[in-house]
Tab-separated table of all heavy atoms in Angstrom:
chain	number	residue	atom	x	y	z
F	1	SER	N	14.442	0.760	3.658
F	1	SER	CA	13.202	1.255	3.353
F	1	SER	C	12.438	0.445	2.323
F	1	SER	O	11.261	0.522	2.109
F	1	SER	CB	13.276	2.721	2.900
F	1	SER	OG	14.096	2.785	1.808
F	2	LYS	N	13.177	-0.384	1.540
F	2	LYS	CA	12.510	-1.205	0.411
F	2	LYS	C	13.392	-2.405	0.258
F	2	LYS	O	14.671	-2.291	0.133
F	2	LYS	CB	12.525	-0.306	-0.773
F	2	LYS	CG	11.924	-0.855	-1.979
F	2	LYS	CD	11.806	0.054	-3.118
F	2	LYS	CE	11.047	-0.650	-4.389
F	2	LYS	NZ	11.022	0.197	-5.528
F	3	VAL	N	12.680	-3.392	-0.086
F	3	VAL	CA	13.268	-4.760	-0.448
F	3	VAL	C	12.736	-5.127	-1.808
F	3	VAL	O	11.374	-5.218	-1.850
F	3	VAL	CB	13.109	-5.840	0.513
F	3	VAL	CG1	13.601	-7.227	0.033
F	3	VAL	CG2	13.628	-5.419	1.971
F	4	ASP	N	13.516	-5.230	-2.893
F	4	ASP	CA	12.986	-5.687	-4.203
F	4	ASP	C	13.893	-6.756	-4.686
F	4	ASP	O	14.910	-6.697	-5.267
F	4	ASP	CB	13.085	-4.458	-5.133
F	4	ASP	CG	12.654	-4.693	-6.535
F	4	ASP	OD1	12.046	-5.755	-6.766
F	4	ASP	OD2	13.070	-3.961	-7.479
F	5	GLY	N	13.497	-8.030	-4.278
F	5	GLY	CA	14.252	-9.220	-4.494
F	5	GLY	C	15.573	-9.052	-3.673
F	5	GLY	O	15.550	-9.061	-2.491
F	6	ARG	N	16.556	-9.236	-4.410
F	6	ARG	CA	17.999	-9.042	-3.755
F	6	ARG	C	18.405	-7.676	-3.531
F	6	ARG	O	19.416	-7.531	-2.935
F	6	ARG	CB	18.974	-9.810	-4.618
F	6	ARG	CG	18.802	-11.263	-4.790
F	6	ARG	CD	19.942	-12.014	-5.614
F	6	ARG	NE	20.149	-11.277	-6.792
F	6	ARG	CZ	21.369	-10.953	-7.257
F	6	ARG	NH1	22.480	-11.093	-6.551
F	6	ARG	NH2	21.509	-10.324	-8.486
F	7	ARG	N	17.744	-6.721	-4.205
F	7	ARG	CA	18.007	-5.254	-4.037
F	7	ARG	C	17.381	-4.684	-2.868
F	7	ARG	O	16.218	-4.771	-2.432
F	7	ARG	CB	17.547	-4.505	-5.341
F	7	ARG	CG	17.913	-3.012	-5.330
F	7	ARG	CD	17.534	-2.322	-6.684
F	7	ARG	NE	16.116	-2.180	-6.667
F	7	ARG	CZ	15.575	-1.072	-6.314
F	7	ARG	NH1	16.180	-0.011	-5.926
F	7	ARG	NH2	14.229	-0.987	-6.470
F	8	LEU	N	18.274	-4.038	-1.995
F	8	LEU	CA	17.782	-3.362	-0.700
F	8	LEU	C	18.044	-1.869	-0.891
F	8	LEU	O	19.168	-1.460	-1.268
F	8	LEU	CB	18.616	-3.991	0.458
F	8	LEU	CG	18.680	-5.539	0.521
F	8	LEU	CD1	19.566	-5.927	1.577
F	8	LEU	CD2	17.298	-6.126	0.721
F	9	VAL	N	17.105	-1.110	-0.421
F	9	VAL	CA	17.235	0.336	-0.390
F	9	VAL	C	17.290	0.910	0.858
F	9	VAL	O	16.335	0.465	1.866
F	9	VAL	CB	16.130	1.119	-1.195
F	9	VAL	CG1	16.373	2.426	-1.221
F	9	VAL	CG2	16.169	0.353	-2.720
F	10	PHE	N	18.246	1.705	1.308
F	10	PHE	CA	18.332	2.281	2.634
F	10	PHE	C	18.096	3.831	2.610
F	10	PHE	O	18.692	4.519	1.691
F	10	PHE	CB	19.664	1.975	3.241
F	10	PHE	CG	19.949	0.455	3.539
F	10	PHE	CD1	20.355	-0.403	2.500
F	10	PHE	CD2	19.800	0.082	4.837
F	10	PHE	CE1	20.658	-1.642	2.817
F	10	PHE	CE2	19.931	-1.280	5.081
F	10	PHE	CZ	20.374	-2.164	4.141
F	11	ASP	N	17.416	4.406	3.505
F	11	ASP	CA	17.485	5.735	3.784
F	11	ASP	C	18.646	5.878	4.667
F	11	ASP	O	18.676	5.349	5.753
F	11	ASP	CB	16.081	6.193	4.419
F	11	ASP	CG	14.985	6.217	3.576
F	11	ASP	OD1	15.183	6.369	2.228
F	11	ASP	OD2	13.786	5.729	3.907
F	12	VAL	N	19.494	6.912	4.262
F	12	VAL	CA	20.764	7.205	5.178
F	12	VAL	C	20.756	8.657	5.682
F	12	VAL	O	20.293	9.452	5.026
F	12	VAL	CB	21.926	6.749	4.513
F	12	VAL	CG1	22.044	5.265	4.145
F	12	VAL	CG2	22.094	7.605	3.155
F	13	VAL	N	21.239	8.822	6.749
F	13	VAL	CA	21.441	10.090	7.406
F	13	VAL	C	22.600	10.216	8.285
F	13	VAL	O	23.026	9.154	8.749
F	13	VAL	CB	20.171	10.501	8.195
F	13	VAL	CG1	19.955	9.538	9.333
F	13	VAL	CG2	20.122	11.949	8.634
F	14	ALA	N	23.340	11.332	8.291
F	14	ALA	CA	24.433	11.499	9.251
F	14	ALA	C	24.319	12.742	10.057
F	14	ALA	O	23.873	13.834	9.392
F	14	ALA	CB	25.737	11.277	8.435
F	15	HIS	N	24.871	12.761	11.246
F	15	HIS	CA	24.832	13.939	12.013
F	15	HIS	C	26.251	14.128	12.602
F	15	HIS	O	26.917	13.000	12.980
F	15	HIS	CB	23.905	13.838	13.202
F	15	HIS	CG	22.547	13.826	12.860
F	15	HIS	ND1	21.861	12.785	12.334
F	15	HIS	CD2	21.617	14.895	12.813
F	15	HIS	CE1	20.481	13.005	12.076
F	15	HIS	NE2	20.317	14.411	12.299
F	16	ASP	N	26.679	15.325	12.750
F	16	ASP	CA	27.912	15.531	13.713
F	16	ASP	C	27.466	15.930	15.085
F	16	ASP	O	26.271	15.698	15.337
F	16	ASP	CB	28.947	16.546	13.094
F	16	ASP	CG	28.323	18.003	12.828
F	16	ASP	OD1	27.312	18.339	13.545
F	16	ASP	OD2	28.957	18.666	11.995
F	17	GLU	N	28.226	16.490	15.886
F	17	GLU	CA	27.801	16.834	17.117
F	17	GLU	C	26.923	18.156	17.241
F	17	GLU	O	26.313	18.390	18.283
F	17	GLU	CB	29.016	17.006	18.084
F	17	GLU	CG	29.812	15.779	18.326
F	17	GLU	CD	31.169	15.981	18.871
F	17	GLU	OE1	31.200	16.792	19.969
F	17	GLU	OE2	32.170	15.585	18.382
F	18	VAL	N	26.718	18.756	16.129
F	18	VAL	CA	25.990	19.958	16.100
F	18	VAL	C	24.673	19.885	15.248
F	18	VAL	O	23.608	20.392	15.531
F	18	VAL	CB	26.745	21.116	15.639
F	18	VAL	CG1	26.012	22.388	15.440
F	18	VAL	CG2	28.057	21.388	16.419
F	19	GLU	N	24.767	19.148	14.117
F	19	GLU	CA	23.631	19.218	13.151
F	19	GLU	C	23.728	18.037	12.224
F	19	GLU	O	24.597	17.229	12.144
F	19	GLU	CB	23.746	20.497	12.306
F	19	GLU	CG	24.896	20.557	11.465
F	19	GLU	CD	25.247	21.899	10.766
F	19	GLU	OE1	24.146	22.578	10.446
F	19	GLU	OE2	26.325	22.295	10.514
F	20	ARG	N	22.593	18.038	11.416
F	20	ARG	CA	22.549	16.904	10.330
F	20	ARG	C	23.472	17.326	9.225
F	20	ARG	O	23.456	18.435	8.814
F	20	ARG	CB	21.134	16.801	9.756
F	20	ARG	CG	21.027	15.821	8.581
F	20	ARG	CD	19.547	15.855	7.984
F	20	ARG	NE	18.723	15.070	8.929
F	20	ARG	CZ	17.706	14.313	8.564
F	20	ARG	NH1	17.421	14.276	7.199
F	20	ARG	NH2	17.015	13.596	9.578
F	21	ILE	N	24.379	16.421	8.777
F	21	ILE	CA	25.299	16.770	7.806
F	21	ILE	C	25.186	15.995	6.468
F	21	ILE	O	25.617	16.448	5.468
F	21	ILE	CB	26.772	16.539	8.314
F	21	ILE	CG1	27.016	15.036	8.519
F	21	ILE	CG2	27.090	17.435	9.604
F	21	ILE	CD1	28.552	14.685	8.639
F	22	ALA	N	24.316	15.068	6.512
F	22	ALA	CA	24.084	14.290	5.239
F	22	ALA	C	22.650	13.630	5.259
F	22	ALA	O	22.171	13.277	6.349
F	22	ALA	CB	25.104	13.300	4.878
F	23	GLU	N	22.198	13.361	4.026
F	23	GLU	CA	20.903	12.600	3.885
F	23	GLU	C	20.803	11.994	2.531
F	23	GLU	O	21.435	12.625	1.619
F	23	GLU	CB	19.734	13.476	4.177
F	23	GLU	CG	19.483	14.621	3.354
F	23	GLU	CD	18.448	15.538	3.821
F	23	GLU	OE1	18.052	15.531	4.991
F	23	GLU	OE2	17.962	16.451	2.939
F	24	GLY	N	20.172	10.874	2.349
F	24	GLY	CA	20.079	10.375	0.937
F	24	GLY	C	19.564	8.934	0.836
F	24	GLY	O	19.056	8.502	1.916
F	25	LEU	N	20.006	8.201	-0.060
F	25	LEU	CA	19.775	6.843	-0.159
F	25	LEU	C	20.846	6.017	-0.606
F	25	LEU	O	21.835	6.576	-1.116
F	25	LEU	CB	18.538	6.489	-1.068
F	25	LEU	CG	18.628	6.748	-2.449
F	25	LEU	CD1	19.203	5.667	-3.320
F	25	LEU	CD2	17.259	6.981	-3.166
């Protein structure tokens, strides 16, 4: 989601077979 020189920022998300179980950066 963002590149700041050598620093890279990712939006992260995880799902199991039923629902979203995590979100963040």
Side-chain angles (χ1 to χ4, degrees):
S1 60
K2 182 178 181 182
V3 176
D4 181 14
R6 296 182 311 125
R7 186 175 70 95
L8 309 173
V9 180
F10 292 86
D11 292 322
V12 291
V13 63
H15 292 83
D16 62 22
E17 296 170 49
V18 175
E19 63 189 332
R20 178 181 284 213
I21 64 163
E23 61 191 20
L25 67 84

